[in-house]
Amino acid sequence: MRTLVFDGRTGAAGDMICAALIAAGADPDALAPVSDALPVRYAVGEVEKNGIRATTVDVLVDDRTVETDGDHDHGHDHSHGHDHGPDNDPSTSGSDEPAEGAGVHRSYREVVDLVESMGLPPAVESTALDAFELLGRAEASVHGTDLDETHFHEVGADDAIADVVGAALLLADLGPERVVTTPVAAGGGTVEMSHGTYPVPAPATTEIASRAGFRIAGGPIDRELLTPTGAAILGAVADGFDAVPDLAVERAGYGAGDADFERHPNVLRALVGDGREPGPDGDREKRDDDRARAGQPVDGRLAHDDIAVLETNLDDAAPEVLGGLQETLSRAGARDVTIVPTAMKKSRPGHLVKVICKPADAEAVAERLARETGTLGVRQSGASHRWIADRAFETATLRVDGEDHEVDVKVASTTDGEVYDVSGEYDDAAAVAEATGLPIREVLRRVEAEVREQLPRE
């Protein structure tokens, strides 16, 4: 499996991600749609960081160098503050001047409309919008606003949009089948923002990290190393690994930030190669390859599905309210609702409500859960994904006393097509049972047997 690994042990920022992707083999010409849609152009160069040759990417707006968020010293996307090292000194670049956040500052909805107007390939547009949604929801959570009411300042400017959309374009050009990241260094100390002084990581970065599928780590120096933009891009595209996975490396590239650190190269490393997904036996894909060469069946897999898990405890909910949660929460985006009887404080009977939904729907589902039940708090647990079957529906026809009755039957399989469960839909079976006088379990048995008979034989 062609795999891209980001090694974020000295942090990540938007321009560093773009630079690392180019250094790892992506074509800079892939960035053309951004320059066509915005008054920006990209300047790709090279620099040496602590003896490591690395690629740089600067965004130029109206002949001014727009240092993006890659020097790890911007504090927050609302209040950037760069210190320029000798590799990017504006005094040596003619008329170019630092213009962080140049251009119009936009609301979340305006950014979405702009990205959708660029005519990007669907996969690229989806990646960029996922990153901006992470940014938007983080800002909304930090400032207590609704998503559509959230206004980006630096993050909504032309240069930041160029970073996010540029990273999506370069990633598509590189074409990995899987993207992973090691734990990303957040840095340490404090950072100055327009809202005051905060500890690193900044609030927006912290919020994005709580929603993303990778870990962050403190240090290795007291500077801000992970920016909200960098965190959002990684959160939109990468799964977290504790270390660089088993990889037959084909190419390594380094994307540089602006600042120079005494002992730590200010670079983000990108590795590209043939990766094998680790499993309970240490190297599942290698084991599957060996079995396939030997003519033995290969183990099937379940599909990876990003989720959020919401919970609340109730000790005063009426049965009618609990009974209606499946329907009301499903309309808000819930994928599954479970209600478990439990004992509350002072041994009072109560219920634990657990809801599974997509991360993007978590806020809406939590609000609906609170409104329906009156609960004073909804917590989000640590689960970030689940493993699910590929599901398809077949229609079985049951003939009873000369009349045909149809029942939907759910077929569950692994990602390689191996069917492991066939289940008739209860509501359909109950309706047929009512009409025919057959027991429900007999209806289910017959329709499930019919579908099993129709499945391909190995």
Side-chain angles (χ1 to χ4, degrees):
M1 178 182 291
R2 184 171 173 79
T3 301
L4 166 65
V5 180
F6 287 110
D7 186 359
R9 282 178 281 187
T10 50
D15 61 337
M16 295 175 72
I17 293 173
C18 291
L21 289 169
I22 291 173
D27 187 352
D29 289 344
L31 297 168
V34 178
S35 299
D36 292 341
L38 295 173
V40 303
R41 60 186 176 88
Y42 296 88
V44 179
E46 289 188 348
V47 71
E48 186 175 292
K49 293 289 184 179
N50 297 61
I52 295 177
R53 189 176 185 180
T55 298
T56 61
V57 172
D58 292 315
V59 180
L60 306 180
V61 179
D62 296 331
D63 296 327
R64 293 177 296 169
T65 301
V66 179
E67 308 291 353
T68 53
D69 58 352
D71 73 342
H72 304 314
D73 193 27
H74 69 97
H76 190 267
D77 280 329
H78 287 315
S79 179
H80 297 257
H82 295 272
D83 59 350
H84 300 274
D87 304 312
N88 247 334
D89 187 347
S91 65
T92 64
S93 55
S95 61
D96 289 345
E97 297 179 0
E100 182 75 35
V104 179
H105 296 172
R106 301 174 175 91
S107 69
Y108 168 76
R109 181 50 52 189
E110 288 172 332
V111 170
V112 170
D113 291 343
L114 175 59
V115 172
E116 290 178 342
S117 72
M118 289 184 176
L120 302 169
V124 173
E125 180 180 293
S126 177
T127 297
L129 292 179
D130 285 349
F132 278 116
E133 182 174 347
L134 276 172
L135 282 163
R137 292 193 179 279
E139 294 288 353
S141 177
V142 169
H143 299 300
T145 60
D146 292 333
L147 179 61
D148 285 341
E149 296 175 357
T150 297
H151 277 75
F152 294 135
H153 295 280
E154 302 299 334
V155 174
D158 290 343
D159 58 306
I161 294 174
D163 270 351
V164 174
V165 179
L169 287 163
L170 293 168
L171 184 66
D173 182 74
L174 198 59
E177 299 173 79
R178 179 179 60 166
V179 182
V180 303
T181 181
T182 65
V184 184
T190 59
V191 61
E192 294 294 331
M193 296 165 41
S194 57
H195 310 293
T197 301
Y198 285 81
V200 170
T205 303
T206 304
E207 186 64 29
I208 292 169
S210 74
R211 299 167 182 264
F214 62 87
R215 296 179 179 273
I216 62 174
I221 60 174
D222 282 346
R223 291 280 293 273
E224 185 181 38
L225 300 182
L226 176 62
T227 70
T229 303
I233 295 171
L234 292 180
V237 303
D239 294 320
F241 271 52
D242 289 337
V244 175
D246 183 358
L247 190 73
V249 178
E250 299 171 5
R251 185 155 182 173
Y254 298 85
D258 291 327
D260 293 308
F261 306 140
E262 182 178 354
R263 297 182 57 83
H264 299 279
N266 185 15
V267 296
L268 172 67
R269 180 166 64 173
L271 305 173
V272 179
D274 180 23
R276 302 188 183 278
E277 186 174 356
D281 295 335
D283 194 342
R284 179 171 184 168
E285 278 193 0
K286 184 176 186 300
R287 187 177 74 251
D288 287 351
D289 290 346
D290 293 341
R291 295 182 68 180
R293 282 192 292 270
Q296 300 173 352
V298 174
D299 294 340
R301 295 186 177 88
L302 298 180
H304 182 283
D305 183 39
D306 292 331
I307 60 165
V309 179
L310 306 178
E311 298 179 347
T312 191
N313 289 3
L314 305 173
D315 62 2
D316 58 355
E320 296 84 0
V321 171
L322 294 174
L325 286 179
Q326 291 278 356
E327 181 178 351
T328 56
L329 295 182
S330 293
R331 288 200 297 266
R335 302 299 180 91
D336 188 49
V337 180
T338 304
I339 303 172
V340 183
T342 188
M344 307 288 287
K345 291 184 295 185
K346 299 180 181 180
S347 298
R348 292 196 301 264
H351 295 85
L352 169 64
V353 180
K354 295 174 70 76
V355 184
I356 294 175
C357 62
K358 298 298 289 182
D361 297 325
E363 185 175 352
V365 173
E367 180 181 355
R368 176 50 56 187
L369 177 57
R371 290 183 180 275
E372 291 292 334
T373 64
T375 183
L376 299 180
V378 177
R379 59 188 174 273
Q380 182 167 333
S381 70
S384 62
H385 63 273
R386 61 179 176 176
W387 301 103
I388 61 173
D390 285 345
R391 284 164 278 189
F393 285 88
E394 302 290 341
T395 300
T397 301
L398 183 64
R399 191 170 185 82
V400 180
D401 296 333
E403 293 188 10
D404 291 337
H405 304 271
E406 292 186 343
V407 177
D408 283 343
V409 179
K410 182 166 55 182
V411 180
S413 62
T414 58
T415 54
D416 59 4
E418 180 184 353
V419 174
Y420 68 85
D421 186 66
V422 175
S423 301
E425 291 294 281
Y426 178 86
D427 288 346
D428 290 356
V432 173
E434 177 69 20
T436 63
L438 289 172
I440 294 176
R441 65 176 184 173
E442 177 63 15
V443 174
L444 290 171
R445 185 190 68 79
R446 293 188 188 184
V447 297
E448 289 168 3
E450 177 182 328
V451 170
R452 288 187 185 276
E453 285 296 321
Q454 296 171 356
L455 294 174
R457 302 288 184 179
E458 294 189 4

